[in-house]
């Protein structure tokens, strides 16, 4: 997963219904970039049948022990 | 008993009121006297309700005289972060947008403390919409650190950290989504408990991120935090994410020693690039834990940078979604830093957000496997002690997020995993700034953290240091 570019951020913000100016998109790209970098090794690697509620299962399984 | 009642701990003052060794009015007046002295220097309170507090204290004294003790904290005055709804009260959430918002309901956590007999001193300052780790607030001004007035308190529970440290309130509710309880506790020299996701109801607490938000106390001692958690924890029909089941005896856990427990020290990440005085406090704390009977082992944790990244992606999207309407209609009413952070959420696609949420279960499972042989992990809350207000006033600087990411480097991974973490005062720098360390526990095992923390506080006196005005 790569950091989103200024252009991509402009498009996705518009699609979200909150359009931003070019310089704001550039600032966002710089600011959120490290989060994308950190998650890059995970993105695109998750198994098909994994859903967010797995977290609660793992959390409560620990309680039951 | 202290000659100044406000200097007592929460549990001590509650006991003194119950035994009629002191009245709620005397206690409340003592807090109000300290607030009058400190508030001009700290800016810790959003609003002080002196008249109403004294009236409530008198009512509590009359009730107690008639045998009507309301609960274990009967007549104890408290103030909380200004994001906990209380019906009929203005709850600003530290913002201009909600400057005149009057709550129509009362948050479950707050109601449970009221049911225990507490009375209201007013409300406490906070970062705007709880979205900032320093204690700056563009609308209401920065909150100041009682141990060094030109230094930050940490945020977002800035007023809670400052007011508890200065002994203006016996304890305060905070909230922790990325470190907002632990950082003010660390920077201000108080005890703070970030609870497990699901441990305390969030009903009536201002949302920032539904996946990461947690409610918890800041107080002067671990024992005080344990009492407050015991009162607040448990199922709540108003919040389906609050976990049902028996609430453990948290206060009881604080009387046990740490003998027989094993505490892990991370081999990397949490021990990298530390300020020398933070590193020194960590070493000294580990030595104390050993002396008190704990076994210390090294633990190899999974890559924490991945957890940090996932945490930031989830938080950014959820915060932007909560704020979307105001971002469209009232962008000019946000402080510039907060608007910047909210806009970050616009850069993340739905697929990326859901990937970050889907990984949460496996990430927690990997952490559990890595820490299977320890009861808790000890780590710094932040790599540095409190920076000055001036040097951390990042405004619109392009590296704003880099500064913030350094402060929150050791807290965000724990929010992503939903784990409990107890921040305890663990030393002071040569210049007198507090240093805190966090004990990170297993899901829903706050009791073990409280046990270790209380034993540590019986062996040390960092939590007893009271700041003085210059």
């Amino acid at each position: 997963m790569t950091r989103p570019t200024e252009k991509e951020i402009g498009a996705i913000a518009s699609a979200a219904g909150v359009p931003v100016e070019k310089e704001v998109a550039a600032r966002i790209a710089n600011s959120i970039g490290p989060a994308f970098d950190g998650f890059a090794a995970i993105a695109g690697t998750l198994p098909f049948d994994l859903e967010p509620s797995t977290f609660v299962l793992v959390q409560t399984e620990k309680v039951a022990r | 008993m202290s000659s100044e009642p406000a200097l007592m701990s929460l549990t001590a003052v509650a006991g003194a009121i119950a035994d009629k060794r002191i009245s709620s009015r005397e206690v409340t007046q003592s807090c109000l006297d300290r607030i009058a002295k400190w508030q001009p220097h700290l800016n810790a309170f959003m609003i002080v309700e002196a008249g109403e507090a004294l009236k409530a204290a008198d009512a509590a004294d009359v009730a107690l005289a008639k045998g009507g003790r309301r609960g274990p904290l009967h007549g104890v005055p408290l103030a909380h972060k200004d994001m906990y709804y209380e019906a009929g009260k203005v709850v600003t959430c530290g913002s201009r947008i909600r400057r005149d918002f009057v709550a129509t309901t009362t948050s479950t956590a707050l109601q449970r403390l009221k049911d225990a007999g507490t009375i209201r001193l007013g409300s406490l300052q906070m970062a705007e919409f709880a979205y900032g780790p320093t204690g700056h607030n563009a609308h209401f001004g920065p909150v100041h650190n009682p141990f060094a007035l030109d230094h930050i308190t940490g945020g977002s529970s800035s007023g809670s950290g400052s007011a508890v440290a200065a002994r203006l309130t016996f304890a305060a509710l905070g909230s922790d989504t990325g470190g907002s309880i632990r950082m003010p506790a660390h920077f201000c020299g108080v005890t703070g408990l970030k609870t497990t996701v699901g441990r305390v109801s969030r009903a009536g607490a201002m949302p920032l991120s539904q996946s990461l938000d947690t409610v918890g106390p800041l107080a002067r001692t671990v024992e005080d935090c344990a009492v407050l958690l015991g009162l607040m924890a448990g199922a709540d029909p108003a919040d389906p994410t609050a976990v049902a089941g028996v609430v453990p005896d948290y206060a009881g856990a604080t009387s046990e020693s740490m003998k027989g427990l094993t505490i892990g020290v991370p081999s990397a990440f949490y021990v990298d690039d530390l300020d020398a005085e933070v590193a020194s406090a960590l070493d000294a704390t580990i030595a104390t834990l050993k002396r008190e009977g704990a076994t210390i082992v090294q633990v190899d944790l999974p890559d924490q940078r991945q957890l940090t990244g996932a945490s930031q992606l989830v938080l950014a999207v959820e915060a932007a979604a909560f704020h979307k309407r105001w971002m469209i209609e009232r962008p000019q009413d946000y402080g510039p830093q907060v608007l910047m952070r909210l806009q970050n959420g616009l850069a993340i696609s739905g697929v990326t957000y859901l990937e970050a949420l889907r990984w949460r279960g496996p990430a927690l499972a990997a952490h559990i496997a890595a820490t299977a042989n320890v009861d808790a992990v000890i780590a710094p809350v932040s790599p540095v002690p409190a920076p000055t207000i001036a040097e951390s006033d990042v405004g619109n600087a392009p590296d704003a997020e880099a500064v913030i990411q350094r402060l929150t480097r050791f807290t965000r991974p724990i929010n992503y995993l939903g784990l409990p973490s107890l921040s305890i005062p663990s030393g002071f720098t040569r210049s007198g700034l507090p240093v805190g360390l966090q004990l990170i526990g297993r899901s829903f095992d706050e009791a073990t953290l409280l046990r270790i923390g209380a034993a540590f506080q019986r062996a040390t006196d960092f939590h007893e240091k009271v700041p003085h005005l210059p």
Side-chain angles (χ1 to χ4, degrees), chain B residues 247-292:
Chain B
V247 174
D249 177 11
Y250 295 116
T254 62
S255 60
E256 297 177 48
S257 83
M258 62 178 94
K259 283 195 177 87
L261 296 180
T262 302
I263 298 171
V265 179
S267 57
F269 187 75
Y270 292 98
V271 292
D272 299 336
D273 303 321
L274 298 182
D275 172 273
E277 293 187 283
V278 173
S280 168
L282 177 61
D283 290 342
T285 299
I286 290 167
T288 303
L289 296 173
K290 259 188 202 167
R291 266 200 312 276
E292 293 302 307

Short mmCIF file of all heavy atoms in Angstrom, two decimals, chain B residues 247-292:
data_model
loop_
_atom_site.label_atom_id
_atom_site.label_comp_id
_atom_site.label_asym_id
_atom_site.label_seq_id
_atom_site.Cartn_x
_atom_site.Cartn_y
_atom_site.Cartn_z
N VAL B 247 -18.43 -7.53 37.97
CA VAL B 247 -17.33 -6.55 38.04
C VAL B 247 -16.38 -7.01 39.15
O VAL B 247 -16.81 -7.20 40.29
CB VAL B 247 -17.88 -5.14 38.33
CG1 VAL B 247 -16.73 -4.16 38.55
CG2 VAL B 247 -18.77 -4.67 37.18
N PRO B 248 -15.11 -7.20 38.83
CA PRO B 248 -14.16 -7.67 39.86
C PRO B 248 -14.03 -6.68 41.02
O PRO B 248 -14.39 -5.51 40.89
CB PRO B 248 -12.84 -7.77 39.09
CG PRO B 248 -13.20 -7.82 37.65
CD PRO B 248 -14.47 -7.03 37.52
N ASP B 249 -13.47 -7.17 42.11
CA ASP B 249 -13.23 -6.31 43.28
C ASP B 249 -11.90 -5.59 43.06
O ASP B 249 -10.85 -6.03 43.53
CB ASP B 249 -13.18 -7.18 44.54
CG ASP B 249 -12.86 -6.35 45.79
OD1 ASP B 249 -12.88 -5.10 45.70
OD2 ASP B 249 -12.58 -6.97 46.84
N TYR B 250 -11.99 -4.48 42.35
CA TYR B 250 -10.75 -3.76 42.00
C TYR B 250 -10.07 -3.18 43.24
O TYR B 250 -8.85 -3.23 43.37
CB TYR B 250 -11.06 -2.63 41.00
CG TYR B 250 -11.56 -3.13 39.68
CD1 TYR B 250 -12.84 -2.83 39.23
CD2 TYR B 250 -10.75 -3.92 38.86
CE1 TYR B 250 -13.30 -3.29 38.00
CE2 TYR B 250 -11.21 -4.39 37.64
CZ TYR B 250 -12.48 -4.06 37.21
OH TYR B 250 -12.94 -4.52 36.01
N ALA B 251 -10.86 -2.62 44.15
CA ALA B 251 -10.27 -2.03 45.36
C ALA B 251 -9.57 -3.12 46.18
O ALA B 251 -8.49 -2.90 46.73
CB ALA B 251 -11.34 -1.32 46.17
N GLY B 252 -10.19 -4.28 46.24
CA GLY B 252 -9.60 -5.40 46.98
C GLY B 252 -8.25 -5.81 46.40
O GLY B 252 -7.32 -6.18 47.13
N ALA B 253 -8.13 -5.73 45.06
CA ALA B 253 -6.88 -6.13 44.40
C ALA B 253 -5.72 -5.25 44.81
O ALA B 253 -4.55 -5.68 44.78
CB ALA B 253 -7.06 -6.08 42.88
N THR B 254 -6.00 -4.02 45.22
CA THR B 254 -4.91 -3.09 45.52
C THR B 254 -4.19 -3.42 46.84
O THR B 254 -3.14 -2.85 47.11
CB THR B 254 -5.40 -1.63 45.59
OG1 THR B 254 -6.35 -1.52 46.65
CG2 THR B 254 -6.04 -1.19 44.28
N SER B 255 -4.76 -4.30 47.63
CA SER B 255 -4.10 -4.61 48.90
C SER B 255 -3.10 -5.76 48.76
O SER B 255 -2.35 -6.06 49.69
CB SER B 255 -5.13 -4.94 49.98
OG SER B 255 -5.89 -6.05 49.56
N GLU B 256 -3.08 -6.40 47.60
CA GLU B 256 -2.18 -7.54 47.41
C GLU B 256 -0.78 -7.07 46.99
O GLU B 256 -0.63 -6.01 46.40
CB GLU B 256 -2.74 -8.47 46.34
CG GLU B 256 -4.08 -9.10 46.72
CD GLU B 256 -4.62 -9.96 45.60
OE1 GLU B 256 -3.86 -10.78 45.07
OE2 GLU B 256 -5.81 -9.80 45.26
N SER B 257 0.20 -7.90 47.27
CA SER B 257 1.57 -7.58 46.84
C SER B 257 1.76 -8.04 45.40
O SER B 257 0.88 -8.69 44.82
CB SER B 257 2.59 -8.28 47.73
OG SER B 257 2.78 -9.60 47.30
N MET B 258 2.90 -7.70 44.83
CA MET B 258 3.14 -8.15 43.45
C MET B 258 3.98 -9.42 43.41
O MET B 258 4.45 -9.83 42.35
CB MET B 258 3.75 -7.02 42.61
CG MET B 258 5.09 -6.52 43.06
SD MET B 258 5.71 -5.24 41.91
CE MET B 258 5.15 -3.73 42.70
N LYS B 259 4.14 -10.04 44.56
CA LYS B 259 4.90 -11.30 44.60
C LYS B 259 4.20 -12.35 43.75
O LYS B 259 2.98 -12.50 43.80
CB LYS B 259 5.02 -11.80 46.05
CG LYS B 259 6.05 -11.05 46.85
CD LYS B 259 6.40 -11.78 48.16
CE LYS B 259 7.48 -11.03 48.90
NZ LYS B 259 6.98 -9.99 49.79
N GLY B 260 4.99 -13.05 42.96
CA GLY B 260 4.44 -14.11 42.13
C GLY B 260 4.03 -13.63 40.74
O GLY B 260 3.68 -14.44 39.88
N LEU B 261 4.05 -12.33 40.53
CA LEU B 261 3.68 -11.81 39.21
C LEU B 261 4.92 -11.66 38.33
O LEU B 261 6.02 -11.40 38.83
CB LEU B 261 2.98 -10.46 39.34
CG LEU B 261 1.63 -10.49 40.09
CD1 LEU B 261 1.04 -9.08 40.15
CD2 LEU B 261 0.64 -11.44 39.41
N THR B 262 4.71 -11.77 37.04
CA THR B 262 5.79 -11.60 36.08
C THR B 262 5.49 -10.40 35.19
O THR B 262 4.38 -10.28 34.66
CB THR B 262 5.94 -12.87 35.20
OG1 THR B 262 6.18 -13.99 36.06
CG2 THR B 262 7.09 -12.73 34.22
N ILE B 263 6.46 -9.51 35.10
CA ILE B 263 6.27 -8.29 34.32
C ILE B 263 7.28 -8.27 33.18
O ILE B 263 8.48 -8.49 33.38
CB ILE B 263 6.43 -7.05 35.22
CG1 ILE B 263 5.35 -7.09 36.32
CG2 ILE B 263 6.32 -5.76 34.40
CD1 ILE B 263 5.52 -6.04 37.40
N GLY B 264 6.76 -8.01 31.99
CA GLY B 264 7.62 -8.01 30.80
C GLY B 264 8.15 -6.63 30.48
O GLY B 264 7.44 -5.63 30.62
N VAL B 265 9.39 -6.59 30.04
CA VAL B 265 10.00 -5.34 29.54
C VAL B 265 10.23 -5.54 28.04
O VAL B 265 10.91 -6.49 27.65
CB VAL B 265 11.35 -5.06 30.25
CG1 VAL B 265 11.97 -3.78 29.71
CG2 VAL B 265 11.16 -4.98 31.75
N PRO B 266 9.64 -4.68 27.21
CA PRO B 266 9.80 -4.87 25.77
C PRO B 266 11.27 -4.79 25.36
O PRO B 266 12.04 -3.98 25.89
CB PRO B 266 9.01 -3.70 25.17
CG PRO B 266 8.07 -3.27 26.25
CD PRO B 266 8.78 -3.53 27.54
N SER B 267 11.63 -5.64 24.39
CA SER B 267 13.02 -5.65 23.93
C SER B 267 13.28 -4.53 22.93
O SER B 267 14.44 -4.20 22.66
CB SER B 267 13.33 -7.01 23.29
OG SER B 267 12.41 -7.25 22.23
N ALA B 268 12.25 -3.96 22.37
CA ALA B 268 12.43 -2.92 21.35
C ALA B 268 11.24 -1.97 21.36
O ALA B 268 10.30 -2.15 22.13
CB ALA B 268 12.57 -3.56 19.98
N PHE B 269 11.29 -0.96 20.54
CA PHE B 269 10.27 0.05 20.30
C PHE B 269 10.05 0.93 21.54
O PHE B 269 10.34 2.11 21.51
CB PHE B 269 8.94 -0.57 19.85
CG PHE B 269 7.90 0.45 19.45
CD1 PHE B 269 8.00 1.11 18.23
CD2 PHE B 269 6.85 0.77 20.28
CE1 PHE B 269 7.05 2.08 17.86
CE2 PHE B 269 5.90 1.73 19.93
CZ PHE B 269 6.01 2.38 18.71
N TYR B 270 9.54 0.36 22.63
CA TYR B 270 9.24 1.16 23.83
C TYR B 270 10.51 1.57 24.59
O TYR B 270 10.43 2.34 25.54
CB TYR B 270 8.31 0.40 24.77
CG TYR B 270 6.92 0.20 24.21
CD1 TYR B 270 6.55 -0.99 23.60
CD2 TYR B 270 5.96 1.22 24.28
CE1 TYR B 270 5.27 -1.17 23.08
CE2 TYR B 270 4.69 1.05 23.77
CZ TYR B 270 4.34 -0.15 23.17
OH TYR B 270 3.08 -0.32 22.65
N VAL B 271 11.62 1.00 24.22
CA VAL B 271 12.88 1.35 24.89
C VAL B 271 13.83 2.08 23.93
O VAL B 271 14.98 2.36 24.29
CB VAL B 271 13.56 0.09 25.48
CG1 VAL B 271 12.75 -0.46 26.63
CG2 VAL B 271 13.75 -0.99 24.41
N ASP B 272 13.33 2.38 22.74
CA ASP B 272 14.18 3.04 21.74
C ASP B 272 13.99 4.55 21.78
O ASP B 272 12.87 5.04 21.95
CB ASP B 272 13.82 2.54 20.33
CG ASP B 272 14.04 1.03 20.19
OD1 ASP B 272 14.84 0.48 20.96
OD2 ASP B 272 13.38 0.42 19.32
N ASP B 273 15.08 5.28 21.57
CA ASP B 273 15.06 6.75 21.44
C ASP B 273 14.39 7.45 22.62
O ASP B 273 13.61 8.39 22.45
CB ASP B 273 14.34 7.16 20.15
CG ASP B 273 14.99 6.54 18.92
OD1 ASP B 273 16.24 6.46 18.91
OD2 ASP B 273 14.26 6.14 18.00
N LEU B 274 14.67 6.95 23.81
CA LEU B 274 14.09 7.58 25.00
C LEU B 274 14.94 8.75 25.46
O LEU B 274 16.17 8.70 25.40
CB LEU B 274 14.01 6.57 26.16
CG LEU B 274 13.14 5.34 25.99
CD1 LEU B 274 13.17 4.51 27.27
CD2 LEU B 274 11.71 5.73 25.65
N ASP B 275 14.29 9.78 25.96
CA ASP B 275 14.98 10.82 26.71
C ASP B 275 15.73 10.14 27.87
O ASP B 275 15.20 9.19 28.48
CB ASP B 275 13.93 11.80 27.24
CG ASP B 275 14.50 12.81 28.19
OD1 ASP B 275 14.56 12.50 29.41
OD2 ASP B 275 14.86 13.89 27.73
N ALA B 276 16.93 10.62 28.17
CA ALA B 276 17.77 9.95 29.16
C ALA B 276 17.08 9.84 30.52
O ALA B 276 17.21 8.82 31.22
CB ALA B 276 19.08 10.69 29.30
N GLU B 277 16.31 10.86 30.89
CA GLU B 277 15.68 10.83 32.22
C GLU B 277 14.45 9.91 32.24
O GLU B 277 14.11 9.35 33.28
CB GLU B 277 15.34 12.25 32.66
CG GLU B 277 16.60 13.06 32.92
CD GLU B 277 16.33 14.43 33.51
OE1 GLU B 277 15.93 15.33 32.75
OE2 GLU B 277 16.53 14.60 34.73
N VAL B 278 13.80 9.74 31.10
CA VAL B 278 12.71 8.76 31.01
C VAL B 278 13.31 7.36 31.09
O VAL B 278 12.78 6.48 31.80
CB VAL B 278 11.90 8.96 29.71
CG1 VAL B 278 10.88 7.83 29.53
CG2 VAL B 278 11.18 10.32 29.72
N ALA B 279 14.42 7.15 30.39
CA ALA B 279 15.09 5.84 30.43
C ALA B 279 15.54 5.51 31.85
O ALA B 279 15.40 4.37 32.32
CB ALA B 279 16.29 5.85 29.48
N SER B 280 16.02 6.52 32.54
CA SER B 280 16.49 6.32 33.90
C SER B 280 15.31 5.96 34.84
O SER B 280 15.42 5.09 35.70
CB SER B 280 17.19 7.60 34.34
OG SER B 280 17.43 7.59 35.69
N ALA B 281 14.18 6.61 34.64
CA ALA B 281 12.99 6.30 35.44
C ALA B 281 12.51 4.88 35.16
O ALA B 281 12.08 4.16 36.08
CB ALA B 281 11.86 7.30 35.13
N LEU B 282 12.61 4.46 33.92
CA LEU B 282 12.20 3.09 33.58
C LEU B 282 13.10 2.08 34.30
O LEU B 282 12.62 1.12 34.91
CB LEU B 282 12.27 2.89 32.06
CG LEU B 282 11.94 1.48 31.54
CD1 LEU B 282 10.52 1.07 31.92
CD2 LEU B 282 12.11 1.41 30.02
N ASP B 283 14.42 2.33 34.26
CA ASP B 283 15.36 1.41 34.93
C ASP B 283 15.08 1.36 36.44
O ASP B 283 15.08 0.28 37.04
CB ASP B 283 16.81 1.88 34.70
CG ASP B 283 17.24 1.68 33.25
OD1 ASP B 283 16.57 0.91 32.54
OD2 ASP B 283 18.23 2.32 32.84
N ALA B 284 14.87 2.52 37.03
CA ALA B 284 14.64 2.56 38.48
C ALA B 284 13.33 1.86 38.84
O ALA B 284 13.23 1.17 39.87
CB ALA B 284 14.60 4.02 38.95
N THR B 285 12.32 2.02 38.00
CA THR B 285 11.03 1.37 38.26
C THR B 285 11.15 -0.15 38.17
O THR B 285 10.59 -0.88 39.01
CB THR B 285 9.96 1.89 37.27
OG1 THR B 285 9.82 3.29 37.47
CG2 THR B 285 8.62 1.21 37.49
N ILE B 286 11.87 -0.59 37.16
CA ILE B 286 12.08 -2.04 37.02
C ILE B 286 12.78 -2.59 38.27
O ILE B 286 12.41 -3.65 38.80
CB ILE B 286 12.89 -2.34 35.74
CG1 ILE B 286 12.03 -2.04 34.51
CG2 ILE B 286 13.37 -3.80 35.72
CD1 ILE B 286 12.80 -2.01 33.20
N ALA B 287 13.75 -1.84 38.78
CA ALA B 287 14.46 -2.27 40.00
C ALA B 287 13.49 -2.33 41.19
O ALA B 287 13.55 -3.28 41.99
CB ALA B 287 15.61 -1.30 40.29
N THR B 288 12.60 -1.37 41.29
CA THR B 288 11.62 -1.37 42.39
C THR B 288 10.66 -2.56 42.26
O THR B 288 10.34 -3.23 43.25
CB THR B 288 10.82 -0.05 42.40
OG1 THR B 288 11.73 1.03 42.51
CG2 THR B 288 9.83 -0.01 43.56
N LEU B 289 10.21 -2.81 41.05
CA LEU B 289 9.28 -3.94 40.84
C LEU B 289 9.95 -5.25 41.25
O LEU B 289 9.32 -6.10 41.89
CB LEU B 289 8.86 -4.00 39.36
CG LEU B 289 8.05 -2.80 38.83
CD1 LEU B 289 7.84 -2.91 37.33
CD2 LEU B 289 6.70 -2.67 39.53
N LYS B 290 11.22 -5.37 40.92
CA LYS B 290 11.98 -6.57 41.31
C LYS B 290 12.05 -6.68 42.83
O LYS B 290 11.80 -7.74 43.41
CB LYS B 290 13.41 -6.47 40.76
CG LYS B 290 13.67 -7.27 39.51
CD LYS B 290 15.18 -7.22 39.22
CE LYS B 290 15.42 -7.52 37.75
NZ LYS B 290 16.78 -7.20 37.34
N ARG B 291 12.41 -5.56 43.46
CA ARG B 291 12.54 -5.54 44.93
C ARG B 291 11.23 -5.91 45.61
O ARG B 291 11.21 -6.53 46.68
CB ARG B 291 12.95 -4.14 45.40
CG ARG B 291 14.42 -3.93 45.58
CD ARG B 291 14.73 -2.74 46.50
NE ARG B 291 14.00 -1.54 46.18
CZ ARG B 291 14.36 -0.66 45.25
NH1 ARG B 291 15.46 -0.86 44.55
NH2 ARG B 291 13.63 0.41 45.01
N GLU B 292 10.12 -5.55 44.98
CA GLU B 292 8.81 -5.81 45.58
C GLU B 292 8.31 -7.23 45.27
O GLU B 292 7.18 -7.57 45.61
CB GLU B 292 7.79 -4.77 45.09
CG GLU B 292 8.07 -3.37 45.60
CD GLU B 292 8.11 -3.29 47.13
OE1 GLU B 292 7.14 -3.74 47.77
OE2 GLU B 292 9.12 -2.81 47.68
#
